[in-house]
Amino acid sequence: MLTTHNVADAARHSDGILRPRRFQVFTDRQFDQIDQLKRLDSEQRFAMRVVASVMPFRVNQYVLDELIDWDRVPDDPLFQLTFPQRGMLSESDFDRMADLHRRDADKAEIQALANEIRERLNPHPAGQLDLNTPMEEGRPLEGLQHKYRETVLFFPTQGQTCHAYCSFCFRWAQFVGDKALKIASNEVGMLHRYLRQHRQVTDLLVTGGDPMVMKARHLSSYLTPLLSADLEHVQSVRIGTKSLTFWPHRFVTDEDADEMLGLFERLIAGGKHVAIMAHYNHPRELSTRVAREAIRRLRDVGVEIRSQGPLLRHINDDSRAWSDLWSTQVKLGIIPYYMFVERDTGAQHYFAVPLGRAWDIYRQAMQRVSGLGRTARGPSMSAGPGKVEIQGVAEIRGEKVFVLRFIQARDADWVQRPFFAKYDPEATWLDQLKPAFGEDRFFYEDEYLAMCKGQVRPIQ
Ligand SMILES: *Cc1c(COP(=O)(O)O)cnc(C)c1O
């Protein structure tokens, strides 16, 4: 079968030949080697260095050459999406770090300040490291998260990086080189044992980092065993990835591109649903030939592509960007899935859009796409208790309120129950919302608090 998915075929289906491209990556240690940065003045380059000593930075030549519009820098959305920006640190943190750089302070001093700043940026939003990690004989199963009954998240060790980093990434703490902050696992056996023992799990969601940085044979060692009879209950394999944006060559011209597609094809032939959960933020990410070719090849082997991504100031806080994104996706055979609210971590203050405005943007974008584009749910906050969607703003008996619901919840019984918060034009996250109608807490709060104290573990 694979002969239909080789590189020569890619060329036949396009106007010209898509040649293999060497994956060349740049981190903050290689700022000087990025030719395009010479357009910026020295102050801008300095600011970038300062911020990059706190927040992770990684970009590749494809992103530099084909995605960023350098004539529009620094406002260009794809530049904002990948490069550190001064506003990502508070004035005072920026000044302190800038000072260290100006007087050429030693590495240890810069590291110490960087760590202090990171600690204040809520590196582990929604208790990711503890409450969601299942236990086995008193020990945490590292690299697994099981928050919602049907779905297990798995973070393979080999997938701990990405082809480039997003400046707003909520998992930024994993990428700053502090081992203690990482979530990872190298235990193939542990994953399969856990899945065998939990027959209510229908979905395995492989995430990272980006699992698509892995070699096909590594990914195969995790996924091929799912075809055995004792793992039949795992019906869907989802792979969370930004590679369709940052390195579509992964599915087209990379050495093991065909092997990767072959793996997906075998899983599908064995009865699994295979979905790429593609992270997209801007219509330009879908514009290049190689990006479209990658989508076509995945769809050809039967992979479903669903799209998700956060709403971000400086990048896509405009309803046109979203309606273009969703309608282009529908045209290419991608199913819009979630619009997220930027999480309460890292540079959230720089990227955050107030919830009321987020809902306006969502609504206006929805109005401009056909029903096929209206499958995107949101704006949704992935918070401790679950995924909370802003369904709208309403006035009920003279009180302006947010209408909310759980799309996913730590207790399945909370799902789809409408609840109400006082309208607050400034609020950017769930913890800033207060119950409407004079109530003193939201309906789920007592139970959630008990779960956090370890009195109730609804899943395991
Ligand atoms: C979003 C999410 C899932 C998957 O939820 P779906 O609604 O099925 O997409 C699973 N686990 C966690 C922790 C999540 O945040």
Side-chain angles (χ1 to χ4, degrees):
M1 298 290 152
L2 273 180
T3 50
T4 58
H5 305 294
N6 62 21
V7 180
D9 179 63
R12 263 205 310 282
H13 282 260
S14 327
D15 316 313
I17 295 174
L18 282 166
R19 291 199 175 76
R21 183 171 189 148
R22 191 167 72 88
F23 180 69
Q24 193 179 359
V25 73
F26 302 86
T27 70
D28 55 319
R29 287 187 301 276
Q30 288 107 23
F31 273 139
D32 293 339
Q33 296 168 33
I34 301 176
D35 284 339
Q36 288 97 332
L37 286 185
K38 297 191 176 114
R39 292 167 164 246
L40 302 185
D41 61 39
S42 60
E43 200 177 320
Q44 286 172 312
R45 287 201 297 262
F46 176 73
M48 211 170 263
R49 254 177 227 287
V50 171
V51 177
S53 49
V54 180
M55 306 302 284
F57 168 74
R58 183 176 159 93
V59 73
N60 70 61
Q61 193 78 55
Y62 167 73
V63 176
L64 295 172
D65 293 349
E66 299 195 41
L67 293 186
I68 294 172
D69 179 352
W70 290 93
D71 291 334
R72 294 178 55 192
V73 163
D75 296 334
D76 184 62
L78 274 291
F79 178 73
Q80 294 278 333
L81 186 145
T82 44
F83 277 82
Q85 308 294 329
R86 183 184 174 131
M88 288 168 58
L89 295 184
S90 71
E91 285 283 327
S92 65
D93 285 341
F94 183 88
D95 290 344
R96 284 170 72 198
M97 187 55 93
D99 199 46
L100 292 190
H101 281 262
R102 267 190 217 103
R103 61 183 173 76
D104 239 340
D106 59 36
K107 260 206 167 119
E109 210 176 338
I110 290 177
Q111 260 318 310
L113 179 58
N115 288 337
E116 184 211 306
I117 297 171
R118 288 170 191 152
E119 266 321 302
R120 276 187 276 111
L121 295 175
N122 187 24
H124 305 299
Q128 289 197 74
L129 285 179
D130 37 22
L131 200 55
N132 302 327
T133 306
M135 306 288 283
E136 192 179 75
E137 291 165 4
R139 283 208 312 272
L141 295 176
E142 274 175 44
L144 285 192
Q145 280 184 30
H146 193 182
K147 180 165 167 176
Y148 309 133
R149 196 164 48 201
E150 315 77 26
T151 308
V152 165
L153 266 58
F154 177 57
F155 300 74
T157 310
Q158 299 91 340
Q160 283 182 43
T161 187
C162 301
H163 294 103
Y165 291 154
C166 299
S167 48
F168 54 83
C169 181
F170 77 92
R171 291 199 178 122
W172 61 275
Q174 287 183 64
F175 304 124
V176 291
D178 181 345
K179 283 255 187 290
L181 299 180
K182 279 185 188 166
I183 316 170
S185 166
N186 52 10
E187 299 215 24
V188 179
M190 178 271 295
L191 168 69
H192 299 136
R193 193 169 64 244
Y194 188 82
L195 292 174
R196 256 183 247 115
Q197 288 165 357
H198 292 82
R199 306 196 59 84
Q200 78 274 31
V201 175
T202 57
D203 287 42
L204 174 66
L205 212 162
V206 187
T207 179
D210 192 323
M212 284 299 121
V213 304
M214 291 167 77
K215 293 276 174 240
R217 69 191 147 82
H218 285 139
L219 192 64
S220 174
S221 68
Y222 293 112
L223 300 186
T224 300
L226 301 178
L227 293 171
S228 68
D230 56 356
L231 288 170
E232 211 182 334
H233 56 286
V234 182
Q235 298 162 11
S236 301
V237 180
R238 302 191 223 176
I239 297 167
T241 182
K242 182 97 185 162
S243 56
L244 281 171
T245 292
F246 285 154
W247 192 245
H249 311 72
R250 174 74 203 88
F251 305 104
V252 183
T253 56
D254 273 8
E255 210 168 48
D256 64 348
D258 288 349
E259 195 182 335
M260 188 64 90
L261 293 174
L263 168 64
F264 296 154
E265 205 168 28
R266 278 199 311 283
L267 290 167
I268 294 163
K272 304 295 183 192
H273 174 79
V274 177
I276 290 283
M277 306 305 288
H279 185 138
Y280 284 115
N281 307 98
H282 193 275
R284 200 187 303 155
E285 296 166 79
L286 294 157
S287 66
T288 67
R289 258 185 54 218
V290 66
R292 294 191 174 203
E293 184 60 18
I295 293 164
R296 188 190 68 80
R297 299 187 95 217
L298 284 164
R299 305 254 310 124
D300 269 6
V301 294
V303 170
E304 211 60 81
I305 307 173
R306 292 190 172 75
S307 70
Q308 53 188 24
L311 171 62
L312 303 149
R313 195 154 61 95
H314 303 292
I315 294 176
N316 61 18
D317 57 335
D318 128 49
S319 62
R320 282 275 168 206
W322 285 91
S323 55
D324 283 359
L325 184 64
W326 288 334
S327 55
T328 309
Q329 286 171 352
V330 168
K331 190 170 84 178
L332 298 174
I334 299 174
I335 304 167
Y337 191 63
Y338 278 140
M339 173 201 268
F340 290 123
V341 176
E342 176 64 354
R343 291 202 203 200
D344 55 339
T345 178
Q348 189 214 21
H349 59 277
Y350 183 74
F351 293 109
V353 176
L355 300 175
R357 195 160 163 253
W359 175 68
D360 275 337
I361 291 171
Y362 174 83
R363 202 167 71 96
Q364 284 165 22
M366 277 279 148
Q367 289 168 359
R368 264 190 244 113
V369 297
S370 87
L372 294 182
R374 295 186 193 183
T375 49
R377 286 167 296 165
S380 167
M381 292 175 272
S382 293
K387 278 191 174 65
V388 177
E389 183 187 50
I390 299 143
Q391 291 222 276
V393 174
E395 198 168 303
I396 298 179
R397 297 217 198 130
E399 185 174 341
K400 196 171 179 186
V401 297
F402 283 117
V403 183
L404 307 165
R405 65 157 180 167
F406 280 100
I407 294 173
Q408 276 289 4
R410 215 171 263 284
D411 181 337
D413 189 51
W414 304 346
V415 172
Q416 300 286 355
R417 289 179 192 269
F419 64 106
F420 304 90
K422 277 186 198 150
Y423 182 75
D424 173 351
E426 312 281 316
T428 56
W429 197 250
L430 184 63
D431 63 359
Q432 296 157 13
L433 296 180
K434 303 269 177 292
F437 314 128
E439 303 207 355
D440 63 350
R441 71 203 96 172
F442 293 117
F443 78 93
Y444 59 87
E445 277 187 295
D446 286 341
E447 202 186 332
Y448 178 54
L449 221 68
M451 287 174 186
C452 292
K453 287 186 187 139
Q455 292 161 358
V456 192
R457 288 187 77 87
I459 293 168
Q460 293 85 31

